[in-house]
Amino acid sequence: MNIVILGGGAAGATAAQFARKEDRKAEITVFEASEYPQYSRCGLPYALSGAIPEFESLIEFSAEWFKRNKIDLRLSTEVLKVEPDTNTISFRGIDGDGKLQYDSLIFATGARPSIPGIKGIAEGDAKKKGVFVFRGMDDAKSLKEWCGEKERKVLIVGAGLVGIEVAEALHIMGHEVAIVEFLDSILPGMIDPDTAAPLLDKMSSLGISARTRALVEEIFGDGSVAGAVVKDRDTGPEERIECDTVILATGQKPSTSLAKDAGCALGRHGHIRVDERCESSVPGIYAVGDCAEYLDFVTGAESPSGMGTTAVKMGEVAGINAAGGSFALPRGFLNSRVSRLFGLEISAVGPISSSLTEAGIAQVQARVKGSTLPVYYPGGKDIMVKLTASKEDGKILACQIVGEEGAGLRVNLAAAMILAGFTARELALFETTYAPPVAPTVDVLATAAEAIMIKLRRSGKSG
Amino acid sequence: MNIVILGGGAAGATAAQFARKEDRKAEITVFEASEYPQYSRCGLPYALSGAIPEFESLIEFSAEWFKRNKIDLRLSTEVLKVEPDTNTISFRGIDGDGKLQYDSLIFATGARPSIPGIKGIAEGDAKKKGVFVFRGMDDAKSLKEWCGEKERKVLIVGAGLVGIEVAEALHIMGHEVAIVEFLDSILPGMIDPDTAAPLLDKMSSLGISARTRALVEEIFGDGSVAGAVVKDRDTGPEERIECDTVILATGQKPSTSLAKDAGCALGRHGHIRVDERCESSVPGIYAVGDCAEYLDFVTGAESPSGMGTTAVKMGEVAGINAAGGSFALPRGFLNSRVSRLFGLEISAVGPISSSLTEAGIAQVQARVKGSTLPVYYPGGKDIMVKLTASKEDGKILACQIVGEEGAGLRVNLAAAMILAGFTARELALFETTYAPPVAPTVDVLATAAEAIMIKLRRSGKSG
């Protein structure tokens, strides 16, 4: 059994790990275009800020790990072609070109930063000096080196998770940070605008400006960034912002050209479409992580993976199946997500409100504020829950939580409720652990569920 | 509609609260034998230690709250008789005797400490001076007063949750504490011996001795406690322990005499047996909290409520049903439980291992140690998970977690898995939230689930 994996990131390395667990004797080869064995991309902002002292400590599956597990890791090696007719790949490495036969192949080719067409962004073929993207180890290292001991004035384009995490890192490092976001709110794909409000307040109190519904029209400066022209999408006026650094955090494009050429069908968002076994439309070829597209559990719509969490799950499933085992994802991704930003833990599961509306799903929502501890016990922290249930049948569809702590672990519970098809009524009666120094008798999630039941009852539905 | 509730503790007050929400016009009367409106009994050890500065801050449903909600709270009033033939109760209060008609009645009469038959425990009809129980507000206040500014030598009989929580409080207060437990391990009803081991180590390092498989044969001292004779159940020798205070934490007996006289059937453990609507065998009479007995979700066996968590859920269900609404518990209790003891958060859900064995359920168990954060992120805390699944079908049955933090919230996720009937395989693939400063990509719960899958596979079953 020959298993070939294209890409040695979180998804690819996990696939290799589980393929090895499934078949102790298979030949497993991982091709990785960069010089790095698998490292945590999610950890990069924290290595940038210094919270993690060394970039190298982000390496989780080291070259030694691959060796120990008898997995052939080919670094700095580019795969040029995948030919499913002959089950052959062609590659180009440091030692020249080569070909390899495979029985199963896994695309874990990831994605590359999406570069918006902004005037002045490039000088010739290269990015203008002072313009950065933030996806891989080298991007983060270059940015850290550029910042050096200087006090930079940074404009971040895009207020998604990467944009805000990098903003926090740079703020901690002492740089001046401004953010421009094209959409209505910060973290637009992750949480609803009302859930984002406390974070926006916190950032504003720290002197970090975030312009929403705005776009960068031009990056100016001779040879190096000197500033940007930002336009308000509604009112129209242009504003000149002085800055010496621009970070493009405007999303990513899946790396799919090899897969396309190999005949793999792409999904609605242009990623490699896979089934619950993580298999593409070409039998024996799997796809995992940022290059792949599966389904959203709640809406059933095609949905890119895009997160470390889902990448790892896909890696596990594809690795086992590619090695001849049998493992399947649930019927869609819950997309559980969390970050800790400027002292707030922000977490969510299920589609954001506008995606549910888009999918034609009638919602009932409750927003409640509670505490992590009983009122009588000192030290409880405020925690805000926005819970969404189906107006039709009361089933939990989504949950967003913000607090100083405990948001992510509470979202895990909401995620299990969604996966199980439980209703607000079942959540209201759910036995959460209680002890005065740990948690209140009625968790804020149950309070939110009760609020939803009342709303459902008023609208003539049972929760 | 006349609703009468006997007992104004957590279960009774919650029943009153939800009866009021269900029917804005019902007459609701709560009879409470003590002088206190509802307070948190679970909070008493923390008011004893001083973590909560005032006993009075434990009051959650104040007299004013009852007034505001137009609920007639009769404190220091004893109910003498319940007559279901005529739907009448007789009571004796400060202002004399009376009778009241009801349409629905809820027993929330709680329990009283179970006093073991130890030689020398009493002087005449009263407990010997220096002997205490620890259930209600007055018990806690008396103990605090007895300790005063002195340095007491305390022997605690019983290493259940109350015993250990009081041991911690007294240790914080500077008293010398020893514990004697009849059974094999500390927290015997809550967690398995191997889960209790880290706590036992911690206590031992703090100078708190815990003798297991031992019993107190005699409490000696003339007029006041001077010591106790403790016998090892296996090896037999008796040991004289010097102490000036003995605390009996040997469990509780449900207060059921009125219910028995009213014809309510009792369960296997002698509590009032209720169905999923919290209704007793007598129509229109409900029972909730420590006096009631429902089913265990996993084994289906009759199981006393016994915890604040389940008391409150029963109160909610009974209150709504007593007021003419319709609400039902799941088919049994999960018994999610947690405490924070000597810096360790200890949490569990589902039956302990010996109860599963007793119920004839074949188990597969995995014990794994993980961290609350990814290895590369500083500050992660060790966390130990013991996960139990059915050997037949891989379904999650129980989970016990010990760590410095995050045990209780993780147990909530395991509890949802049990309630949903999910298998180890489903838990292994479950998307838990991940971000470097919050949680690792693969939560320790998922790692435990993977370990179970491997064991199931080895035994020829699928996870």
Side-chain angles (χ1 to χ4, degrees), chain A residues 297-299 331 351 353 356-357 359-366 386-399 417-418 421-425 427 448-449 451-457 459-463:
Chain A
F297 184 84
V298 172
T299 63
R331 66 157 204 265
S353 195
L356 286 170
T357 305
I361 298 172
Q363 311 153 53
V364 179
Q365 293 181 329
K386 179 174 184 177
L387 188 68
T388 302
S390 157
K391 202 166 181 175
E392 272 319 299
D393 55 17
K395 283 188 181 170
I396 309 294
L397 301 176
C399 182
M417 297 276 152
I418 296 172
F422 285 153
T423 62
R425 179 179 276 244
L427 175 51
I452 285 196
M453 284 174 66
I454 291 169
K455 287 191 179 184
L456 283 169
R457 195 145 72 154
S459 70
K461 309 270 183 183
S462 76

Side-chain angles (χ1 to χ4, degrees), chain A residues 18 21-22 40-44 46 51-53 57-60 165 307-310 312-314 316-317 320 326-330 332-340 345 347-348 374-378 406-413 415-417 419-420 422 425-439 441-443 446 450 453-454 457, chain B residues 18 21-22 40-44 46 51-53 57-60 165 307-310 312-314 316-317 320 326-330 332-340 345 347-348 374-378 406-413 415-417 419-420 422 425-439 441-443 446 450 453-454 457:
Chain A
F18 279 87
K21 281 189 189 182
E22 186 65 28
S40 167
R41 282 204 309 106
C42 302
L44 289 172
Y46 309 97
I52 298 169
S57 54
L58 293 179
I59 292 174
E60 295 175 300
E165 284 178 351
M307 288 192 303
T309 321
T310 48
V312 165
K313 301 304 170 195
M314 295 182 103
E316 181 165 352
V317 168
I320 290 171
S326 172
F327 211 27
L329 293 170
F333 283 132
L334 302 167
N335 292 310
S336 305
R337 50 207 185 266
V338 72
S339 190
R340 173 171 286 282
E345 199 173 305
S347 188
V375 282
Y376 58 77
Y377 200 92
L409 289 174
R410 279 183 174 80
V411 155
N412 289 345
L413 176 56
M417 297 276 152
L419 191 67
F422 285 153
R425 179 179 276 244
E426 282 159 309
L427 175 51
L429 271 183
F430 183 75
E431 289 171 54
T432 51
T433 51
Y434 153 61
V438 184
T441 15
V442 178
D443 191 83
E450 272 161 19
M453 284 174 66
I454 291 169
R457 195 145 72 154
Chain B
F18 279 87
K21 281 190 189 181
E22 186 66 26
S40 167
R41 284 204 308 105
C42 302
L44 289 171
Y46 310 95
I52 297 169
S57 54
L58 293 179
I59 292 174
E60 295 175 298
E165 285 178 350
M307 289 192 303
T309 321
T310 48
V312 164
K313 301 303 170 195
M314 295 183 103
E316 181 165 351
V317 167
I320 289 171
S326 172
F327 212 27
L329 294 170
F333 284 132
L334 301 168
N335 293 310
S336 306
R337 49 207 185 265
V338 72
S339 190
R340 172 172 285 281
E345 199 173 306
S347 188
V375 282
Y376 58 76
Y377 200 93
L409 289 175
R410 278 184 174 79
V411 156
N412 289 345
L413 175 56
M417 297 275 153
L419 191 68
F422 285 154
R425 179 179 275 246
E426 281 158 312
L427 176 50
L429 270 185
F430 183 74
E431 288 170 54
T432 51
T433 51
Y434 153 62
V438 184
T441 15
V442 179
D443 192 83
E450 271 161 20
M453 284 174 64
I454 291 169
R457 195 146 71 152

Side-chain angles (χ1 to χ4, degrees), chain A residues 147-160:
Chain A
C147 290
E149 298 300 308
K150 299 180 194 72
E151 277 183 32
R152 293 289 184 188
K153 279 192 151 180
V154 186
L155 180 69
I156 296 178
V157 188

